[in-house]
Amino acid sequence: MADTTSAVGGGVQDVYGEDCATEDQIITPWTLSVASGYNLLRDPRYNKGMAFTHEERDAHYLRGLLPPVVISQQLQEKRLMQNLRSFEAPLHKYISLMELLDRDEKLFFKLLIDNMEELLPIVYTPTVGEACQRYGSIFRRPRGLFISLNDKGKILEVLKNWPEKSIQVIVVTDGERILGLGDLGCQGMGIPVGKLALYTALGGVRPSACLPITIDVGTNNEKLLNDEFYIGIRQRRATGKVYSDFLHEFMTAIKQNYGEKVLVQFEDFANHNAFELLEKYSPTHLVFNDDVQGTAAVVLSGLVAALKSLGGTLADHTFLFFGAGEAGTGIAELLALEMYHQAKLPVDESRKKIWFVDSKGLVVSSRMESLQAFKKPWAHDHEPVTNLIDIIKAVKPTALIGTSGQGKTFTKEVIEAMASFNKKPLIMALSNPTTQSECTAEEAYYWTEGRAIFSSGSPFNPVEYNGKVFFPGQANNAYIFPGFGLGLVMSGAIRVHKEMLLAASEALGGTVTQEDCQKGMIYPPISNIRKISAHIAANVAAKAYEIGVATRLPQPENLVKFAESCMYNPNYRNYR
Ligand SMILES: O=C([O-])CC(=O)C(=O)O
Ligand SMILES: [Mg+2]
C-alpha cells in the first residue's frame, strides 16, 4: 500500500500539517507565522469565533477579546443558519455568506457542506448571477486577483502579490459571457469566486490552494460603462492581437510562477475565445474549460442514465441542441465520442444523430460558408428551417437540449411538439441562471402531462402533477468540475485528455442508483456530492496514470480512498 499520509490535504503536501490535525491531534505552535491576539480574530483562516477554548484564549492572547462564553462550531453553525434564513432576499444571504468567508473560513465551508442543497443556490447559480450584476454596488472586500490591461507587462508581478504560493487550481474569466447574462466585464469575478468555493466544499481542494482570477480587458456592456459603481476599466473590450497577447502573457506567467501542475479552468469566456484558448493552450498547459468540457461530461452522464428509462443506446436517439455555443458543441463532441465507444459508430456517423439550432435556424450544410468553425461539424444536409417548432417536426428529436442562454424559449408549443411523438420526451434546459432557463420544471412536466424526463442547469423544486411528485435533476457542471479538478491535482496530472472527461462522466453516471432512476432522476442527489467527487477524482486520476500524464508516483493503490484522504475538512482545529 502506497504511503498516502504524506500528501493529505487536497493532493499537495500539507506543509504545516493543518489538514492532518483533528480533535485529538492538535496543532501549533505553527511553523509559519500566525497572528495571535486581536489579529487572530481578524484572520479568517485561523479564526474560530467564540469557539476558542479558555486554554486557547490564554495561550493566544485572546482573553477578554471575546464574550466569556465558549460555544462549539456546531452551535455557531446553527446560529448562522438561523440568521441566514431570516433574510428574504437571496442577495442578502449571498452578502452575508461572503462576509462569513471573510471572517471565518472554516465555518463558511462547514455551513456550505452541511447545508449543500439550501446554500448552493446562493453561493452559486442563480444568486451568484445577480451578485455579479451588482458586484460594484455590493462590493466590500476584494477576493481573488484582478488583472487588467493596466497591468500589461507586469502580470508576473501581480501573481507574486498573491499571498499563497502553492496554488493548485485557478478559475479565470474575462467576464464576457457570465452564465447566460452576457458581458459583465470585471464584475464577472463572482463566478471564479463561487466556482472555487465549490472546489473546496464539493471537491475538497484546500481553500489556500485556490485562486480566482478576473482578466479585465474592458466591457461592451453600456450599462456598466455608465455605472458609477462599476469596478472595472472603463473602456470597450480589447480584441484581436491586443487580447491574445495579453492572454499569452497571462498563461506564460502562470506557468512560470506555478509550474506545470497548476490547473487553469477557463470559465464564462465568449464562444470564440473559449474555443481558441482551449485549443491553443491544451498542448502546453493543464487547462480545462468548464463550460465546454465540464458541462459536456455532466450532460453525457445524464443522457446515459436516461437510457435506462428511454431504452436503446445513444446511437438509437436523435439529439437537438437549441444554441450552438460552448456548452452545446462541447456536449455534442463528447456524445459523439461516447457513441463511438459504445457502438463503434464512426464519429462522422454519430454526428448525424446530432442537430443544432442557432440564431439563424437549423444548422445545415448550405450555410457552411458563413458558419463559425465550431459549428461546421454539425451542419448536415437538410433544407433550411428557421422556426424551432418546424425544426422539431422535421428532425423528430428524442432529446431537446437548451444551451442558448435565452430564457423562456421552450414555449408550450415547443414542448408539446416534443411530446406529440415521444412517449418520454427528454428535455434539458441548461441555461443559467434561472431567468435564462429555456423553460421551468413545472412547464416541462405540465406541458407533457408528466411524461418528460427533465433536468436544468439551475435548480428547480420538485413539482407535483396529477398527484405524483417529479424530481428535476440539476444538470450543472458543478457535479463534475470539483471532482475532476481533484483528480488532476491529486495525481499531479500535467495535461487533460478527452478520455479523462469520459472517465469523469462515467464515474458520475455510476453513482445514480436504481432508486434515483425510479424517481425519474438522471443525477444523484447533490447532497452526496463529496462522495461522488471522490469517485470522479479516482476515475480521472486512474485515466491520467493510464495515459501517462500523472506525475505523482507511485500511483496510490486505492484511488478512491486516496481521494477521500486528500479532501479538505472544515472542522475547526484545536490549537495548542
Ligand atoms: O455556473 C453554472 O451554473 C454553470 C456554468 O458554468 C454556466 O452556466 O456558465
Ligand atoms: Mg460557466
Side-chain angles (χ1 to χ4, degrees):
M1 177 79 186
D3 173 20
T4 54
T5 51
S6 61
V8 167
V12 271
Q13 289 145 321
D14 175 22
V15 183
Y16 305 111
E18 287 168 49
D19 278 350
C20 303
T22 55
E23 302 261 314
D24 41 355
Q25 186 192 345
I26 54 182
I27 56 161
T28 70
W30 284 280
T31 46
L32 79 167
S33 148
V34 170
S36 62
Y38 187 78
N39 288 334
L40 177 53
L41 299 180
R42 292 290 178 275
D43 185 339
R45 282 186 62 189
Y46 301 103
N47 182 28
K48 309 203 284 184
M50 286 177 67
F52 282 108
T53 62
H54 292 298
E55 293 72 27
E56 287 171 335
R57 294 177 191 204
D58 269 337
H60 299 284
Y61 305 94
L62 297 172
R63 190 169 275 279
L65 300 184
L66 288 160
V69 165
V70 175
I71 61 174
S72 65
Q73 190 175 18
Q74 282 67 24
L75 195 60
Q76 298 201 82
E77 185 179 0
K78 183 175 171 190
R79 183 186 62 203
L80 274 153
M81 285 309 293
Q82 250 179 37
N83 286 336
L84 274 180
R85 286 171 185 147
S86 73
F87 292 123
E88 290 262 327
L91 191 63
H92 290 152
K93 297 187 195 207
Y94 176 89
I95 293 170
S96 177
L97 273 169
M98 287 300 135
E99 283 178 339
L100 175 61
L101 181 54
D102 276 337
R103 190 166 74 233
D104 187 337
E105 185 181 275
K106 292 204 173 69
L107 191 55
F108 169 85
F109 284 112
K110 181 129 181 72
L111 236 63
L112 196 48
I113 291 168
D114 292 347
N115 304 276
M116 197 81 81
E117 249 152 280
E118 185 173 349
L119 298 185
L120 225 49
I122 307 297
V123 174
Y124 195 60
T125 185
T127 309
V128 72
E130 189 187 354
C132 287
Q133 289 173 311
R134 304 181 50 186
Y135 219 62
S137 307
I138 63 171
F139 185 86
R140 280 153 168 80
R141 280 186 191 205
R143 288 202 81 78
L145 275 178
F146 295 88
I147 303 179
S148 81
L149 280 178
N150 299 337
D151 306 312
K152 192 167 168 42
K154 297 181 188 160
I155 297 184
L156 190 58
E157 254 174 75
V158 174
L159 296 181
K160 290 193 187 299
N161 284 343
W162 188 252
E164 302 293 342
K165 300 305 164 209
S166 31
I167 298 301
Q168 297 175 302
V169 183
I170 290 170
V171 177
V172 60
T173 188
D174 72 354
E176 191 169 1
R177 196 235 75 201
I178 293 301
L179 308 176
L181 299 171
D183 184 351
L184 297 184
C186 194
Q187 303 200 158
M189 183 54 115
I191 295 294
V193 167
K195 291 273 173 183
L196 284 164
L198 268 55
Y199 255 107
T200 298
L202 280 56
V205 178
R206 295 157 60 86
S208 60
C210 296
L211 173 56
I213 300 184
T214 289
I215 304 228
D216 183 359
V217 296
T219 179
N220 296 339
N221 183 325
E222 287 301 326
K223 197 167 159 229
L224 289 178
L225 287 171
N226 293 316
D227 177 353
E228 62 178 327
F229 299 127
Y230 180 55
I231 58 171
I233 55 173
R234 229 167 265 274
Q235 64 169 67
R236 298 187 76 80
R237 277 188 182 274
T239 56
K241 188 162 156 44
V242 178
Y243 180 87
S244 57
D245 284 355
F246 194 58
L247 269 110
H248 196 65
E249 184 189 340
F250 170 71
M251 292 303 290
T252 309
I254 291 291
K255 201 160 165 180
Q256 198 172 341
N257 206 44
Y258 300 117
E260 294 269 325
K261 289 185 272 183
V262 64
L263 169 62
V264 178
Q265 173 165 317
F266 294 120
E267 192 70 52
D268 292 7
F269 282 76
N271 288 327
H272 50 289
N273 291 326
F275 290 114
E276 271 177 41
L277 289 168
L278 190 60
E279 195 172 306
K280 182 167 175 189
Y281 293 105
S282 288
T284 52
H285 290 64
L286 182 66
V287 290
F288 167 69
N289 185 303
D290 189 32
D291 302 297
V292 180
Q293 299 172 306
T295 306
V298 170
V299 172
L300 177 61
S301 160
L303 293 175
V304 171
L307 293 180
K308 287 180 195 150
S309 31
L310 291 178
T313 66
L314 287 174
D316 297 327
H317 290 269
T318 306
F319 303 87
L320 179 65
F321 287 87
F322 181 68
E326 292 155 69
T329 58
I331 300 162
E333 273 301 329
L334 203 64
L335 179 58
L337 183 64
E338 180 63 14
M339 283 186 195
Y340 169 73
H341 278 269
Q342 278 190 2
K344 290 285 168 274
L345 196 63
V347 171
D348 275 353
E349 282 302 306
S350 37
R351 284 198 173 130
K352 292 191 182 137
K353 309 271 175 187
I354 302 170
W355 294 83
F356 274 88
V357 183
D358 68 4
S359 58
K360 299 197 173 59
L362 190 61
V363 174
V364 290
S365 39
S366 57
R367 294 176 50 196
M368 197 63 94
E369 287 285 289
S370 60
L371 286 176
Q372 287 168 285
F374 54 88
K375 295 184 191 174
K376 286 187 198 284
W378 312 104
H380 309 314
D381 292 337
H382 196 286
E383 64 198 46
V385 195
T386 50
N387 177 293
L388 180 57
I389 297 164
D390 295 337
I391 291 171
I392 290 172
K393 287 178 184 158
V395 172
K396 294 228 172 347
T398 33
L400 175 65
I401 304 170
T403 50
S404 63
Q406 286 166 18
K408 306 195 178 11
T409 37
F410 291 173
T411 57
K412 188 159 187 271
E413 292 72 27
V414 167
I415 303 280
E416 281 175 352
M418 282 297 291
S420 68
F421 54 85
N422 285 304
K423 212 163 118 206
K424 290 183 179 175
L426 179 55
I427 314 271
M428 289 188 163
L430 298 181
S431 297
N432 299 312
T434 318
T435 52
Q436 309 310 109
S437 190
E438 284 81 2
C439 66
T440 66
E442 196 174 83
E443 289 165 347
Y445 295 122
Y446 273 64
W447 294 338
T448 59
E449 293 146 341
R451 287 185 284 130
I453 298 178
F454 174 79
S455 61
S456 54
S458 293
F460 283 105
N461 288 330
V463 174
E464 203 186 312
Y465 176 79
N466 252 355
K468 193 172 165 204
V469 182
F470 294 87
F471 297 87
Q474 193 178 353
N476 189 294
N477 48 32
Y479 270 110
I480 288 283
F481 72 79
F484 189 78
L486 179 65
L488 299 176
V489 164
M490 75 182 208
S491 63
I494 55 165
R495 299 287 180 270
V496 168
H497 285 245
K498 274 195 184 138
E499 301 296 328
M500 289 149 80
L501 295 171
L502 285 184
S505 185
E506 276 161 24
L508 175 60
T511 61
V512 182
T513 63
Q514 201 63 41
E515 199 190 328
D516 297 333
C517 286
Q518 271 156 12
K519 284 191 197 159
M521 286 163 61
I522 53 177
Y523 293 99
I526 197 99
S527 49
N528 295 346
I529 188 74
R530 276 170 77 94
K531 265 200 162 1
I532 296 166
S533 291
H535 278 275
I536 293 173
N539 238 28
V540 169
K543 198 46 100 178
Y545 281 107
E546 189 188 315
I547 297 174
V549 292
T551 61
R552 190 200 178 280
L553 298 168
Q555 174 177 347
E557 231 162 73
N558 184 331
L559 284 167
V560 176
K561 276 216 173 90
F562 181 59
E564 279 167 353
S565 77
C566 284
M567 289 171 89
Y568 166 85
N569 174 320
N571 291 344
Y572 285 148
R573 313 301 186 241
N574 292 329
Y575 303 150
R576 213 186 293 276

